[in-house]
Amino acid sequence: MGIYVNPGNIAFQEAVNSKIYVDKSGLIPYTNSVIRTQQKNLCVSRPRRFGKTMAADMLVAYYSKGCQSGRLFAGLNVVGDASFQTHLNQHNVIRWDVQRFLETKYSFGTFIDEIEQMIIRELKREFPECGEFPEGSRLKTVLDEIYGQLGEGFIFIIDEWDCVFRMAKEQKEIQKRYLDFLRGLFKGAGYVDLAYMTGILPIKKYGEHSALNIFQEYSMIDSAGLTSLFGFTQEEVLSLCAKGKVDFQDMERWYDGYLMDGTHIYNPKSVVDALVRGKCKSYWTGTETYEALKVYIELNFDGLREAVVGMLGGICCKIDPTTFQNDMMTFKTKDDVLTLLVHLGYLAYDEGKEEAFIPNKEIMQEYLRSIKVGNWDGLMEALNRSEALLHSTWALDGGAVAAEMSLIHGETASLLKYNDENSLACTVIMAYYSAKAYYMKPVMELPSGKGFADVVYLPKRDTGCPALVVELKWNKSAQGAIAQIRDRQYGAWLSGYTGDILLVGINYDKKSKEHTCIIETWTKESTVPDIQKSCNQAYFLL
């Protein structure tokens, strides 16, 4: 048993013995199925705290000849699989964590040599029958020699594979040399039975250095059917909450929201911390700080701040993740920045709709912390006004709503290009920020025609709040906004909804800088709103 070559199973044993352990051994039948096939090279990228290292420890314990793990796997799901006994502790395993070799910036020039030297040293002890290897031999040369003499293949398990791109962000030559090392080690190598790498970032796209395309990738953008094996599923969290007597709805609000292959995935480390400590709160800052997020959301890309503001308000943002270069420095558009935030876990991604969104309360708090200390003039003040504006809406007080809108406009004028139609929608989303406590995610219609956007807020179950149908106009009239709501009927949005409905018409006049707001009550049984029941119109000049 070595540290790097044929290591033991102590790390996985500690995981299984822990107070809370969720069985993810379903990964093993899949890795068994690709051994010595053209799909044998796997790269799994997930944010921190999503169980990547635990999965790597599990694979080491299962495959390594350096230990006997039959009892450790007893009772786990994989035992029932036909391939379980075939590969149990039957392979030579080489495992290393890149981060252990990159403790400081002074390690950048030597870490590859150190990795090779440490592994070669153990290979000499493990395979003495192969004789002495020439001084200065490269790792791939030694492995070729062992494979040629003994026919012994290897399973490679590499944790934090992308650490170089996160720590040496601007050092392109070091990144290229590292990619060349991995390419030389794996591409076309007969000694590779299986290569399994984990990290936060997917494989780097870098011209000719994209030659690691031999790897099958499983990421937060495309998990390719392995979704449930990384992160906790809703069923698993429900079971944990029942055993730990923790409120599931509270857990859902704090840690749910990552969506892959149509499956809701929870941040496993945060769920475990909440169960162990008996309360839900933000545990994200244990490994990532708001300062890291702050750097990216303050990048000066057109539309980035508007996108973040919209997502703070609960809407989804359309993104194209295909231009992202899979590093932390190469950004050409806001989509590149938002795609990085998906991989870091600060955003979730709906592959079917190609939309990004803030997944849960825990991550929302990280955004708010970043905004508090960042250059987001007036946004926190605007968000703090939101509760009063929402109550004014429920009270049918259009005057107060117009006044609050104008204040929010003034507080965010330097943040958003307010004389722009997109900013009117952003202002409304900020104004109704507090609605997220009472309503589901707002449904927005993209800019079209003479109007700008419809925003529909449907209340959460048992809140007793009325639905809100908000129509925005630019250089038109609030009355015209209300008329448009009536004319369209909104049957598609409101089919099946039987509660009260408020119609909110808001107009902003660019020339006069005047906001107008009309609020009316609409009973769904009527074909038009009952204007006599309640109507309140007001104007407010900024």
Side-chain angles (χ1 to χ4, degrees):
M1 182 179 75
I3 297 174
Y4 304 101
V5 179
N6 290 334
N9 58 20
I10 185 64
F12 184 58
Q13 184 176 350
E14 289 178 355
V16 173
N17 292 343
S18 296
K19 183 177 180 180
I20 298 171
Y21 171 74
V22 174
D23 184 358
K24 295 295 178 179
S25 63
L27 175 64
I28 292 173
Y30 179 74
T31 55
N32 284 347
S33 73
V34 298
I35 287 176
R36 302 205 67 81
T37 71
Q38 292 184 342
Q39 292 74 44
K40 65 185 177 181
N41 301 298
L42 313 176
C43 181
V44 176
S45 57
R46 290 288 187 274
R48 291 190 184 279
R49 306 156 58 91
F50 266 75
K52 302 185 301 295
T53 298
M54 191 281 290
D57 292 338
M58 176 183 69
L59 294 180
V60 169
Y62 174 68
Y63 288 117
S64 176
K65 287 183 176 180
C67 54
Q68 295 297 318
S69 302
R71 291 184 179 179
L72 193 56
F73 283 92
L76 300 187
N77 295 331
V78 67
V79 174
D81 186 80
S83 68
F84 175 70
Q85 290 294 338
T86 303
H87 297 281
L88 178 63
N89 301 128
Q90 296 299 308
H91 292 265
N92 294 304
V93 171
I94 297 177
R95 191 268 176 85
W96 74 88
D97 182 338
V98 178
Q99 192 165 6
R100 291 190 62 182
F101 294 89
L102 287 173
E103 294 180 353
T104 70
K105 64 181 180 180
Y106 302 108
S107 306
F108 294 156
T110 62
F111 79 99
I112 294 175
D113 291 337
E114 290 179 10
I115 290 172
E116 293 195 295
Q117 290 169 12
M118 297 297 287
I119 294 173
I120 290 173
R121 184 183 305 169
E122 291 195 9
L123 287 171
K124 289 179 179 179
R125 292 199 300 264
E126 191 75 15
F127 300 99
E129 61 269 43
C130 291
E132 284 295 319
F133 302 110
E135 188 69 27
S137 293
R138 298 295 306 272
L139 177 58
K140 63 180 181 180
T141 304
V142 172
L143 293 170
D144 272 332
E145 185 68 22
I146 293 172
Y147 183 66
Q149 288 191 43
L150 307 177
E152 295 275 2
F154 294 84
I155 287 179
F156 295 81
I157 299 175
I158 304 173
D159 207 4
E160 304 282 0
W161 91 270
D162 61 330
C163 187
V164 178
F165 298 97
R166 292 185 278 117
M167 294 184 66
K169 296 178 184 179
E170 300 179 359
Q171 302 192 44
K172 302 296 184 183
E173 287 305 313
I174 290 173
Q175 295 175 12
K176 289 180 181 179
R177 189 162 68 91
Y178 176 58
L179 286 176
D180 286 340
F181 164 64
L182 293 178
R183 179 177 54 186
L185 190 61
F186 294 124
K187 194 161 188 177
Y191 52 74
V192 178
D193 289 342
L194 175 74
Y196 180 91
M197 302 198 307
T198 75
I200 294 175
L201 298 175
I203 299 292
K204 175 77 177 86
K205 299 176 185 177
Y206 208 38
E208 64 173 327
H209 291 275
S210 62
L212 289 182
N213 55 11
I214 57 174
F215 278 82
Q216 310 292 315
E217 295 195 67
Y218 304 86
S219 72
M220 296 297 284
I221 297 293
D222 182 1
S223 60
L226 297 187
T227 297
S228 63
L229 302 177
F230 298 90
F232 289 170
T233 65
Q234 188 173 72
E235 292 75 16
E236 288 166 343
V237 176
L238 273 167
S239 176
L240 290 170
C241 288
K243 294 176 182 177
K245 298 181 179 179
V246 175
D247 181 64
F248 169 72
Q249 290 185 340
D250 203 21
M251 195 78 77
E252 184 179 37
R253 183 166 56 253
W254 273 92
Y255 310 121
D256 185 18
Y258 296 99
L259 186 66
M260 292 177 281
D261 289 338
T263 300
H264 284 262
I265 295 295
Y266 291 66
N267 182 323
K269 183 62 166 60
S270 294
V271 169
V272 169
D273 285 347
L275 289 166
V276 170
R277 301 187 186 191
K279 60 182 176 181
C280 293
K281 66 175 187 177
S282 178
Y283 296 104
W284 186 265
T285 50
T287 54
E288 294 281 352
T289 69
Y290 62 80
E291 288 290 344
L293 174 61
K294 174 176 172 287
V295 169
Y296 295 110
I297 64 175
E298 288 185 354
L299 290 174
N300 188 27
F301 287 101
D302 190 40
L304 179 59
R305 286 193 169 186
E306 286 84 351
V308 171
V309 167
M311 289 187 290
L312 285 170
I315 67 172
C316 299
C317 177
K318 203 83 171 177
I319 67 168
D320 176 8
T322 61
T323 61
F324 180 53
Q325 294 299 298
N326 296 349
D327 64 25
M328 305 183 80
M329 293 297 295
T330 309
F331 307 114
K332 295 182 179 179
T333 68
K334 71 176 178 67
D335 284 359
D336 293 338
V337 179
L338 296 177
T339 302
L340 173 61
L341 295 180
V342 171
H343 288 297
L344 293 176
Y346 287 116
L347 290 176
Y349 180 70
D350 185 330
E351 184 182 4
K353 297 180 179 179
E354 297 181 334
E355 293 177 338
F357 53 94
I358 297 174
N360 52 48
K361 185 175 179 178
E362 182 178 42
I363 302 303
M364 180 67 72
Q365 289 197 352
E366 296 306 303
Y367 279 88
L368 295 179
R369 289 189 183 100
S370 299
I371 288 167
K372 283 180 182 178
V373 299
N375 187 27
W376 292 69
D377 297 340
L379 181 56
M380 289 307 301
E381 290 82 357
L383 296 181
N384 289 334
R385 294 183 184 279
S386 175
E387 189 75 22
L389 182 140
L390 184 60
H391 283 276
S392 295
T393 302
W394 291 337
L396 308 170
D397 190 345
V401 171
E404 292 289 347
M405 285 287 181
S406 294
L407 288 171
I408 292 171
H409 170 183
E411 289 163 347
T412 60
S414 63
L415 174 65
L416 303 173
K417 298 175 182 178
Y418 196 79
N419 286 329
D420 174 286
E421 292 184 346
N422 286 299
S423 294
L424 177 57
C426 286
T427 300
V428 170
I429 291 299
M430 283 190 292
Y432 283 101
Y433 172 79
S434 291
K436 64 172 63 242
Y438 312 95
Y439 293 86
M440 295 183 285
K441 288 184 178 181
V443 181
M444 290 197 68
E445 182 180 83
L446 295 176
S448 61
K450 295 182 179 180
F452 175 66
D454 309 311
V455 188
V456 178
Y457 289 91
L458 289 176
K460 295 178 180 178
R461 186 177 299 176
D462 301 327
T463 61
C465 299
L468 305 179
V469 179
V470 185
E471 177 70 22
L472 312 180
K473 288 292 183 180
W474 182 265
N475 292 330
K476 299 297 179 182
S477 70
Q479 186 62 57
I482 291 291
Q484 184 166 313
I485 295 175
R486 293 199 301 264
D487 292 342
R488 290 185 179 181
Q489 294 294 306
Y490 288 89
W493 295 122
L494 303 175
S495 60
Y497 179 72
T498 58
D500 294 333
I501 301 170
L502 298 184
L503 312 184
V504 183
I506 298 172
N507 180 67
Y508 176 70
D509 187 275
K510 178 180 176 181
K511 184 177 180 180
S512 67
K513 295 185 178 180
E514 186 179 77
H515 293 78
T516 60
C517 177
I518 298 174
I519 305 173
E520 298 179 352
T521 301
W522 183 14
T523 56
K524 194 181 176 189
E525 289 72 20
S526 60
T527 56
V528 295
D530 183 1
I531 298 176
Q532 298 302 318
K533 182 175 180 181
S534 181
C535 177
N536 192 342
Q537 176 175 345
Y539 299 86
F540 195 92
L541 184 62
L542 178 66

